[in-house]
């Protein structure tokens, strides 16, 4: 899936856990009739793809929608969604 967007901000890379899993987010505004602000995660070696982007840049971003299910404190199922980027190109 691909979306066209304007970069709002690029966050710093974070290392999570003992295995040093890397994640970096970019916040974007979609280019459609009703603009949406989205947080898109890039992970591991894909974090470096964001090095050449800054606020105001227009981009095409290839994404995958990810989801996982867990149980909350009451034992009820909840689903967590993530938008994961894997390619980004300036327009």
């Amino acid at each position: 899936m691909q979306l066209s967007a304007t970069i709002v901000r690029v966050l710093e890379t974070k290392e999570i856990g003992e295995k040093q899993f890397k994640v970096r987010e970019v916040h974007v505004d979609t280019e459609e009739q009703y603009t949406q602000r989205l947080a898109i995660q890039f992970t591991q070696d894909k974090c470096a793809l964001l090095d050449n982007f800054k606020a105001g840049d227009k981009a095409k971003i290839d994404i995958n929608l990810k989801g996982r299910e867990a149980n909350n404190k009451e034992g009820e199922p909840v689903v967590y969604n993530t938008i994961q980027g894997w390619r980004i190109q300036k327009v």
Side-chain angles (χ1 to χ4, degrees):
M1 177 179 269
Q2 188 177 74
L3 60 91
S4 296
T6 301
I7 306 285
V8 175
R9 70 185 64 86
V10 179
L11 286 84
E12 295 298 317
T13 300
K14 295 180 185 176
E15 291 185 7
I16 302 170
E18 294 176 15
K19 296 183 180 182
Q20 301 203 353
F21 181 78
K22 295 179 185 178
V23 64
R24 189 172 186 187
E25 278 192 0
V26 60
H27 297 171
V28 302
D29 286 338
T30 61
E31 295 181 357
E32 53 194 4
Q33 182 177 359
Y34 300 105
T35 299
Q36 301 293 312
R37 179 145 306 165
L38 302 175
I40 301 172
Q41 288 185 350
F42 287 76
T43 58
Q44 299 300 82
D45 61 328
K46 302 294 184 192
C47 292
L49 296 176
L50 298 175
D51 288 346
N52 297 320
F53 288 87
K54 63 183 183 321
D57 287 346
K58 298 205 181 285
K60 288 205 180 284
I61 307 170
D62 290 295
I63 61 169
N64 291 326
L65 300 176
K66 302 275 194 160
R68 66 178 179 84
E69 186 173 295
N71 291 323
N72 64 16
K73 293 178 184 178
E74 292 79 30
E76 301 167 334
V78 292
V79 176
Y80 297 98
N81 297 313
T82 303
I83 304 171
Q84 186 174 46
W86 55 274
R87 182 171 42 197
I88 183 168
Q89 304 168 329
K90 286 189 181 181
V91 178

